[in-house]
């Protein structure tokens, strides 16, 4: 249930507009546990040495995962959020205005056509 506590803590930090303290992600935790287990078995044993090497690799995978998430947030999610909050609202407002103008033009054309037909009948 520690993950639920972590989520709630992150929610509070987000609501307070503060940066949450950095914590290890799952691959990094697995790597740390593997390193600890390898040290308990002893780095001189084959199994302990293998656990330590695998744990270090797992920690590198976790670090790469963290960097990927941060890079994605900076290079994709932040510009997307800015677009949605700023430009998209403007675009939808302008689109709605343009649609109303087009409907007004269609109505004016229809009235003009009816007036020409009525004028032709009167003549």
């Amino acid at each position: 249930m520690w993950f639920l506590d972590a989520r709630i803590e992150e929610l509070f930090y987000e609501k307070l507009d503060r940066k949450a303290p950095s914590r290890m992600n799952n691959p990094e935790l697995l790597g740390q546990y593997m390193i600890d287990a390898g040290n308990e078995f002893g780095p001189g044993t084959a199994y302990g040495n293998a656990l330590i090497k695998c744990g270090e690799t797992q920690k590198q995978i976790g670090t790469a995962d963290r960097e990927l998430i941060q890079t994605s947030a900076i290079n994709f999610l932040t510009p997307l959020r800015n677009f949605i909050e700023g430009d998209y609202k403007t675009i939808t407002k302008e689109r709605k205005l343009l649609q109303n103008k087009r409907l007004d033009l269609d109505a004016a054309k229809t009235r003009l056509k009816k007036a020409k037909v009525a004028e032709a009948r009167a003549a």
Side-chain angles (χ1 to χ4, degrees), residues 1 5 8 15 23-24 27 34 36 39 42 45 73 93 95 105-106 115 119-120:
M1 293 303 274
D5 294 337
I8 292 172
K15 293 299 178 187
R23 64 174 46 90
M24 296 174 81
M34 290 174 84
D36 293 343
N39 287 329
T45 64
K93 186 170 42 170
R95 182 173 179 247
L105 178 64
D106 289 347
E119 187 179 297

Side-chain angles (χ1 to χ4, degrees):
M1 293 303 274
W2 63 267
F3 59 88
L4 185 60
D5 294 337
R7 294 285 183 175
I8 292 172
E9 182 182 2
E10 288 173 9
L11 178 69
F12 281 128
Y13 277 111
E14 184 179 317
K15 293 299 178 187
L16 295 173
D17 290 331
R18 292 189 178 176
K19 187 174 189 237
S22 179
R23 64 174 46 90
M24 296 174 81
N25 58 18
N26 290 337
E28 290 173 325
L29 278 173
L30 176 62
Q32 186 60 48
Y33 293 145
M34 290 174 84
I35 291 171
D36 293 343
N39 287 329
E40 285 181 21
F41 276 103
T45 64
Y47 187 62
N49 189 28
L51 276 174
I52 291 171
K53 286 182 180 178
C54 289
E56 289 170 355
T57 304
Q58 195 66 34
K59 284 182 88 169
Q60 290 174 354
I61 290 171
T63 303
D65 184 43
R66 178 189 310 273
E67 290 173 1
L68 174 68
I69 290 170
Q70 288 174 347
T71 304
S72 300
I74 291 169
N75 294 330
F76 180 73
L77 295 177
T78 303
L80 179 64
R81 182 179 299 123
N82 292 341
F83 171 75
I84 289 173
E85 290 175 353
D87 297 340
Y88 185 71
K89 287 181 181 178
T90 305
I91 290 169
T92 53
K93 186 170 42 170
E94 293 293 328
R95 182 173 179 247
K96 190 174 182 180
L97 184 66
L98 185 62
Q99 235 173 358
N100 288 337
K101 296 287 185 186
R102 185 188 56 82
L103 291 173
D104 290 345
L105 178 64
D106 289 347
K109 284 181 180 179
T110 304
R111 282 195 306 270
L112 180 63
K113 188 185 282 185
K114 284 181 183 178
K116 284 184 180 180
V117 168
E119 187 179 297
R121 285 187 188 165

